[in-house]
């Protein structure tokens, strides 16, 4: 089906009757009401002409966070499976995050009864949030119990999230059926629309009776908290009939709530978590003066027999500056940190400074925006070359854009080299556990969708790495953040970090993936960025200077004195000398540098890289090959040796395959090593591959007391995906794809981390739960799988007819 015909059917199918495996989508419903939960399914859904892929949750399922509503740089508002509002960053409480707020926001009144559309039992507490150490930042309150006496709540809530959309079906004993489609603008390939600070709450009412029905629908929003503004004093203004609602303006944050599709609209103060306020929505809303941040709006409705109707509440906002310390009113950096609180301007605020004007834009374009969102999702859902689980997960993993992205406008305190058209874009590694901007290995793992869909953002970041690069060629570790003891989300406090052995391949990979999909025929971007990669490559080769080592052995090795670490920060007794993992990654870095040198016309450096590659391959064979795998590490001068089978020692081979480079390690050695990892590391895990195993396939011992350790059975989800793809690229497609599926099944269907992506998981036979991390954008590594499934390099999906090309075309409206 063509793009244009798909688009034409999207809107027509909103309220049509469709069959789903013998089940009917009732007119007005968003998806079938009796689908099984916590498993990947295909089913019909409103707005889609063909079946979608997804997981249905109910309010009792263990979903740690609901879908985050928001776009790029805008902050986000979590909508929990309980129907409550969760974490909120739209007013710049990033570290610690505001919430979970645990607040109801939607209610309906019919006759003498009011239903508040949430499950009051499902109260969530903050996870981590930098509240474990009160000396770092203030502890902000988390929403507590709800007092909803006097009103009713749903018997059940069914929830389907497909970022940037959350669909909720409420089961209430009322003459009116209620469903909610909440969504935010996120359109791959359209940056300007994706930074629009708005969320639309489309409430679908359906009269289940043969009689006319009247009622009231109410929406409540808490507004900014006390620590998100300098003064709790607001200019509150009711808006006119053309766009009814309310505008609330403060010194650091403003917002508006407007209503579309209702004849009679009233506004007032926040309804909050008190049942008595909600009970009265049909007749009155709470009073509010200039000291009140929160608001509510109510829309009266009258439905004819069996009528369906949509009323939309549009939330728009502007909080133009964020504080590098993490929350707006911070006046000092955390204890033992350097720097000072500094304000950075959001790029979205440059284009959308006025929430009321933004609301007008949404009012004019909401139908086309939603149609384009569903159109790009449909391109993923209907790609039958991909398994159902992957189609669902490719859509939802993009929620990490709104959780983690910040885009600063040029100007102080950013350096002068930041261009006005670029600003400086960056991703926050883990806002609730390890807040820092552009941690370079995280971007290695998770930035491919940025390069695919938003090349302007990717180039902004690459120019940031170029501007911050050290004179000796060392790549910057972070633009600012916790591991550098600088303010958590500061964009102008770069540090070197400590993973010296692998920062170079991270940088080279980021540049190369961009060039593979976006460089121009004149190689203008290559000419601009190649000098940075060359300087970094020279530094990598010079990290080890042990005189007794050959040049090949030095290339495989940790830096002099084994200084610092590499991606895997836990090794016992500590990374030493020549290491297989570092060796394979340095080979990949050399292959990237060699190809760039040829493209840039630097034949001398290309030849030098080729010599180093040959020397490193020889040293890997001579020093580290055991007959079944490569040694974890070996330092001849001290006799320190680790004979563990490291499950991810072939990461460099994945880079080579995914980037379409010439051979790294000999193919027979790769095949034998993969067989050993399957026998040892994969066999010890239910749904991944443990980091380390003994060569006989038994678990490694517990780490010594006081040793930094991830755990005997732990693993990183993006690393498990890289290993899975290494099998796929090397003749074991079925095994590799199943390894990836098992990893993601544990995340999504068992643990409920769909919108709360972890960093480290337990891989043994017990729970499989996380050991660390939330909202880790590393997990956008998932977008590397479509290329691997087709045995293509990463540029494959960008070609005409490829998945990335089709998604972007649909998101742009089928241009």
């Amino acid at each position: 089906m063509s793009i244009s015909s798909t688009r034409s059917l999207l809107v027509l199918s909103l309220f049509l009757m469709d069959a789903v495996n013998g089940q009917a989508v009732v007119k007005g419903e968003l998806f079938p009401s009796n689908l099984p939960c916590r498993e990947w399914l295909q089913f019909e859904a409103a707005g889609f002409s063909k079946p979608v892929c997804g997981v249905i949750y109910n309010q009792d399922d263990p979903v740690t966070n609901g879908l985050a509503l928001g776009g790029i740089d805008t902050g986000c508002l979590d909508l929990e499976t309980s129907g409550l509002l969760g974490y909120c960053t739209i007013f710049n409480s990033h570290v610690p995050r505001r919430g979970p707020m645990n607040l109801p926001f939607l209610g309906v009144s019919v006759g003498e009864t009011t239903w508040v559309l949430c499950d009051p039992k499902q109260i969530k507490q903050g996870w981590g949030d930098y509240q474990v150490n009160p000396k770092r930042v203030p502890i902000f309150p988390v929403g507590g119990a709800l007092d909803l006496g006097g009103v009713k709540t749903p018997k059940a809530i069914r929830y389907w999230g497909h970022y940037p959309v959350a669909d909720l079906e409420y089961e209430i004993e009322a003459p009116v059926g209620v469903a909610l489609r909440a969504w935010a603008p996120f359109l791959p390939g359209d940056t300007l629309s994706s930074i629009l600070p708005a969320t639309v709450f489309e409430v679908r009412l359906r009269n289940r009776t043969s009689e006319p029905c009247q009622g009231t629908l109410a929406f409540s929003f808490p507004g900014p908290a006390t620590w998100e503004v300098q003064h709790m004093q607001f200019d509150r203004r009711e808006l006119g009939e053309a766009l009814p609602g309310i505008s609330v303006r403060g010194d650091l944050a403003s917002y508006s709530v407007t209503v579309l599709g209702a004849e009679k609209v009233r506004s007032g103060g926040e309804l909050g978590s008190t049942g008595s306020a909600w009970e009265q929505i049909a007749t009155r809303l709470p009073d509010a003066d200039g000291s009140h941040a929160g608001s509510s709006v109510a829309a009266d409705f009258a439905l004819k027999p069996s009528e369906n109707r949509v009323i939309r509440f549009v939330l728009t906002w502007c909080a133009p500056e964020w504080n590098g310390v993490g929350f707006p009113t911070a006046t000092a950096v955390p204890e033992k940190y350097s720097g000072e609180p500094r304000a950075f301007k959001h790029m979205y605020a440059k284009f959308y400074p006025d929430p009321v004007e933004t609301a007008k834009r949404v009012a004019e374009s909401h139908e086309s925006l939603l149609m384009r969102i569903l159109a790009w999702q449909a391109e993923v859902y209907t790609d039958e070359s991909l398994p159902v689980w992957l189609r669902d997960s490719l859509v939802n993993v993009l929620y990490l854009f709104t959780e983690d992205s910040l885009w600063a406008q040029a100007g102080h305190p950013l350096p002068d080299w930041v261009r006005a058209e670029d600003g400086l874009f960056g991703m926050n590694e883990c806002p609730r556990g390890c807040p820092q901007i552009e941690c370079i290995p995280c971007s290695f793992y998770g930035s491919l969708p940025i390069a695919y869909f938003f090349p302007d953002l990717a180039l902004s970041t690459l120019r940031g790495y170029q501007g911050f690069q050290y004179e000796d060629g060392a790549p910057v570790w972070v633009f600012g953040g916790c591991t550098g003891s600088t303010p958590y989300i500061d964009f102008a406090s770069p540090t070197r970090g400590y993973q010296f052995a692998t920062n170079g391949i991270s940088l080279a990979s980021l540049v190369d993936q961009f060039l593979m999909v976006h460089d121009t025929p004149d190689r203008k971007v290559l000419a601009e960025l190649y000098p940075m990669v060359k300087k970094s490559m020279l530094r990598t080769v010079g990290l080890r200077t042990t005189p007794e080592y050959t040049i090949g052995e030095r290339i495989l090795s940790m830096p002099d004195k084994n200084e610092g670490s590499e991606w895997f920060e836990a090794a016992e007794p500590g990374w030493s000398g020549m290491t297989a993992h570092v060796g394979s990654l340095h080979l990949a870095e050399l292959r990237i540098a060699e190809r760039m040198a040829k493209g840039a016309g630097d034949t001398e450096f290309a030849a030098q890289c080729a010599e180093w590659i040959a020397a490193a391959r020889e040293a890997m064979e001579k020093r580290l090959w055991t007959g079944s795998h490569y040694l974890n590490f070996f330092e001849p001068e001290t006799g320190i040796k680790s004979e563990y089978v490291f499950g991810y020692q072939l990461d460099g081979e994945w880079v080579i395959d995914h980037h379409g480079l010439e051979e790294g390690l000999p193919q027979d050695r790769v095949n034998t090593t993969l067989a050993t990892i399957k026998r040892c590391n994969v066999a010890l895990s239910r749904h991944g591959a443990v980091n380390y195993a003994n060569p006989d396939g038994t678990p490694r011992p517990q780490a010594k007391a006081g040793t930094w350790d991830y755990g005997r059975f732990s693993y990183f989800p993006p690393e498990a995906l890289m290993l899975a793809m290494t099998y796929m690229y090397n003749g074991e497609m079925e095994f590799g794809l199943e390894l990836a599926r098992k990893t993601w099944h544990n995340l999504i269907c068992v643990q409920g981390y769909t919108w709360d992506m972890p960093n480290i998981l337990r891989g043994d036979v017990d729970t499989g739960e996380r050991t660390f991390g939330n909202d880790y954008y590393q997990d956008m590594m998932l977008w590397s799988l479509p290329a691997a499934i087709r045995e293509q390099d990463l540029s494959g999906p960008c070609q005409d007819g490829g998945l990335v090309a089709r998604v972007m075309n649909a998101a742009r409206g089928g241009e």
Side-chain angles (χ1 to χ4, degrees):
M1 181 177 292
S2 69
I3 292 292
S4 59
S5 59
T6 300
R7 289 178 60 213
S8 67
L9 287 172
L10 286 170
V11 175
L12 291 177
S13 63
L14 285 173
F15 297 110
L16 296 180
M17 296 285 289
D18 294 300
V20 187
N21 298 325
Q23 304 170 27
V25 178
V26 176
K27 187 177 180 181
E29 284 188 340
L30 293 166
F31 55 87
S33 59
N34 54 350
L35 294 171
C37 294
R38 295 175 63 189
E39 61 182 83
W40 280 299
L41 305 167
Q42 286 185 282
F43 51 90
E44 300 291 336
F48 295 91
S49 61
K50 293 184 178 181
V52 300
C53 308
V55 176
I56 305 299
Y57 299 105
N58 65 43
Q59 75 270 27
D60 296 321
D61 288 330
V63 180
T64 56
N65 284 101
L67 184 140
L69 295 165
I72 293 172
D73 183 44
T74 62
C76 58
L77 180 64
D78 288 5
L79 176 50
E80 302 294 346
T81 54
S82 63
L84 297 170
L85 297 179
Y87 287 105
C88 176
T89 63
I90 66 174
F91 299 128
N92 292 318
S93 284
H94 294 279
V95 185
R97 296 220 144 177
R98 178 183 176 186
M101 296 187 295
N102 294 323
L103 287 172
F105 66 93
L106 191 63
V108 62
S109 179
V110 180
E112 301 294 323
T113 306
T114 297
W115 289 262
V116 179
L117 300 177
C118 70
D119 181 355
K121 303 185 300 298
Q122 301 298 320
I123 301 297
K124 295 185 177 181
Q125 298 300 314
W127 194 96
D129 282 305
Y130 265 65
Q131 297 181 15
V132 292
N133 183 353
K135 292 183 178 180
R136 284 184 167 172
V137 290
I139 298 177
F140 299 145
V142 173
L146 306 180
D147 177 16
L148 293 181
V151 300
K152 292 186 176 182
T153 55
K155 293 175 59 178
I157 300 173
R158 310 273 286 179
Y159 189 109
W160 173 43
H162 44 118
Y163 178 77
V165 185
D167 288 342
L168 286 75
E169 288 282 349
Y170 303 98
E171 183 180 339
I172 59 175
E173 295 177 333
V176 175
V178 182
L180 171 68
R181 169 163 280 174
W183 58 273
F186 179 82
L187 294 161
D190 184 349
T191 302
L192 192 59
S193 294
S194 298
I195 63 171
L196 199 157
T199 294
V200 180
F201 297 85
E202 296 190 352
V203 184
R204 296 168 180 242
L205 302 172
R206 48 189 183 268
N207 187 350
R208 295 167 168 165
T209 74
S210 58
E211 301 292 331
C213 182
Q214 296 181 341
T216 299
L217 191 64
F219 178 91
S220 179
F221 182 65
T226 55
W227 59 87
E228 294 177 322
V229 291
Q230 294 288 356
H231 304 97
M232 288 298 285
Q233 190 63 38
F234 302 92
D235 176 16
R236 304 177 63 90
R237 179 167 56 95
E238 287 197 11
L239 302 176
E241 292 183 2
L243 188 64
I246 189 166
S247 167
V248 180
R249 297 179 182 271
D251 52 14
L252 297 180
S254 301
Y255 71 93
S256 71
V257 179
T258 53
V259 185
L260 306 177
E263 289 78 26
K264 185 179 179 181
V265 176
R266 294 168 284 121
S267 64
E270 179 191 3
L271 292 162
S273 57
T274 304
S276 59
W278 286 96
E279 192 175 13
Q280 302 177 67
I281 60 174
T283 56
R284 67 180 302 272
L285 297 173
D287 295 329
D289 59 25
S291 66
H292 291 84
S295 300
S296 62
V297 290
D300 297 331
F301 61 84
L303 300 176
K304 298 175 183 178
S306 303
E307 181 184 0
N308 294 286
R309 187 171 177 185
V310 178
I311 295 176
R312 296 173 174 87
F313 300 99
V314 180
L315 172 66
T316 54
W317 62 90
C318 186
E321 295 183 347
W322 79 84
N323 187 322
V325 173
F327 61 98
T329 55
T331 58
V333 300
E335 185 178 332
K336 297 183 180 179
Y337 276 47
S338 61
E340 60 183 0
R342 298 190 293 185
F344 296 83
K345 294 181 180 179
H346 284 285
M347 186 65 82
Y348 84 77
K350 178 179 179 180
F351 297 94
Y352 306 106
D354 184 337
V356 175
E357 292 301 314
T358 303
K360 292 177 181 178
R361 178 180 178 126
V362 174
E364 295 169 354
S365 60
H366 66 88
E367 289 182 348
S368 64
L369 286 171
L370 179 58
M371 184 177 68
R372 290 163 60 197
I373 290 169
L374 302 185
W376 77 253
Q377 292 184 342
E379 291 297 334
V380 181
Y381 292 143
T382 58
D383 189 334
E384 296 184 358
S385 71
L386 305 176
V388 169
W389 71 267
L390 182 57
R391 288 181 249 173
D392 166 66
S393 300
L394 287 173
V395 169
N396 270 318
V397 79
L398 297 177
Y399 92 94
L400 288 160
F401 271 97
T402 195
E403 289 281 7
D404 295 346
S405 67
L406 290 167
W407 192 9
Q409 294 184 41
H412 182 78
L414 292 180
D416 292 340
W417 46 258
V418 175
R419 307 180 189 190
E421 65 272 23
D422 286 347
L424 188 55
F425 179 80
M427 297 286 280
N428 189 346
E429 174 178 340
C430 174
R432 290 184 275 149
C434 190
Q436 53 189 2
I437 301 302
E438 277 304 307
C439 183
I440 196 167
C442 294
S443 290
F444 164 86
Y445 288 123
S447 67
L448 185 59
I450 306 173
Y452 273 166
F453 299 126
F454 301 101
D456 50 347
L457 305 183
L459 187 56
S460 167
T461 303
L462 291 175
R463 286 172 173 159
Y465 280 111
Q466 184 177 49
F468 285 135
Q469 186 177 30
Y470 292 94
E471 286 298 320
D472 63 1
V476 66
W477 161 249
V478 293
F479 293 178
C482 64
T483 59
S485 296
T486 58
Y488 302 124
I489 52 174
D490 191 298
F491 268 53
S493 296
T495 53
R496 287 177 177 264
Y498 50 91
Q499 292 182 7
F500 307 125
T502 47
N503 287 345
I505 177 56
S506 295
L507 181 65
S509 175
L510 292 174
V511 175
D512 195 52
Q513 72 182 14
F514 185 88
L515 295 176
M516 289 180 69
V517 296
H518 292 299
D519 199 12
T520 54
D522 61 7
R523 307 310 305 270
K524 182 178 180 181
V525 181
L526 172 63
E528 177 184 349
L529 299 179
Y530 169 66
M532 170 177 63
V533 175
K534 181 177 180 180
K535 284 176 63 177
S536 175
M537 187 73 258
L538 289 168
R539 176 173 169 77
T540 294
V541 172
L543 285 172
R544 188 80 173 204
T545 62
T546 305
E548 295 79 14
Y549 284 17
T550 66
I551 183 59
E553 292 168 344
R554 294 175 191 173
I555 291 170
L556 308 184
S557 296
M558 294 295 292
D560 286 339
K561 300 180 181 179
N562 300 315
E563 182 183 8
S565 183
E566 56 119 284
W567 291 341
F568 281 83
E569 297 166 348
E572 192 179 349
W575 294 111
S576 302
M578 293 169 256
T579 79
H581 187 235
V582 168
S584 74
L585 289 169
H586 285 183
L587 275 169
E589 184 181 356
L590 282 164
R591 283 297 190 197
I592 289 172
E594 179 188 36
R595 183 165 68 186
M596 285 189 192
K598 291 177 180 177
D602 190 349
T603 56
E604 182 180 352
F605 191 65
Q608 179 64 81
C609 288
E611 291 180 15
W612 286 334
I613 290 166
R617 283 165 54 99
E618 179 181 354
M620 283 281 286
E621 178 73 17
K622 179 179 178 181
R623 288 295 200 176
L624 297 179
W625 181 246
T626 68
S628 62
H629 63 284
Y630 291 98
L631 283 176
N632 195 25
F633 56 81
F634 175 45
E635 188 171 56
E637 64 269 34
T638 62
I640 296 174
K641 179 186 293 187
S642 172
E643 298 185 357
Y644 293 143
V645 179
F646 184 37
Y648 304 101
Q649 61 187 269
L650 295 179
D651 280 354
E653 284 298 301
W654 172 79
V655 174
I656 283 172
D657 291 331
H658 199 50
H659 287 246
L661 297 161
E662 294 182 31
E663 185 180 70
L665 297 170
Q667 187 63 53
D668 61 333
R669 299 299 192 237
V670 171
N671 294 341
T672 300
T673 301
L674 287 173
T676 301
I677 292 170
K678 183 190 298 187
R679 174 177 58 82
C680 298
N681 307 75
V682 177
L684 289 173
S685 176
R686 292 176 62 188
H687 39 69
V690 301
N691 292 333
Y692 303 105
N694 290 318
D696 63 2
T698 58
R700 69 155 175 85
Q702 291 282 5
K704 296 177 181 177
T707 301
W708 168 240
D709 183 53
Y710 295 134
R712 297 173 73 200
F713 297 97
S714 295
Y715 69 95
F716 296 81
E719 284 286 344
L721 294 181
M722 289 164 67
L723 177 61
M725 286 183 278
T726 304
Y727 282 106
M728 293 160 67
Y729 277 124
N730 287 277
E732 297 193 58
M733 179 65 67
E734 184 177 350
F735 178 81
L737 195 53
E738 176 61 10
L739 178 59
R741 188 204 65 83
K742 289 192 299 182
T743 298
W744 234 250
H745 180 269
N746 176 59
L747 286 175
I748 307 305
C749 299
V750 178
Q751 306 300 335
Y753 297 149
T754 311
W755 305 288
D756 189 20
M757 283 284 140
N759 178 231
I760 308 173
L761 292 173
R762 293 177 63 100
D764 49 349
V765 295
D766 61 8
T767 64
E769 64 190 8
R770 97 174 90 217
T771 61
F772 179 72
N774 306 80
D775 300 326
Y776 255 87
Y777 73 95
Q778 294 180 0
D779 293 312
M780 289 201 294
M781 170 66 75
L782 195 73
W783 269 90
S784 296
L785 261 74
I789 286 173
R790 291 179 175 269
E791 298 182 88
Q792 298 173 326
D793 65 40
L794 65 87
S795 69
C798 301
Q799 307 306 314
D800 289 346
L803 178 63
V804 170
R806 298 197 318 271
V807 164
M808 293 178 70
N809 186 54
R812 289 169 176 158
E815 298 173 358

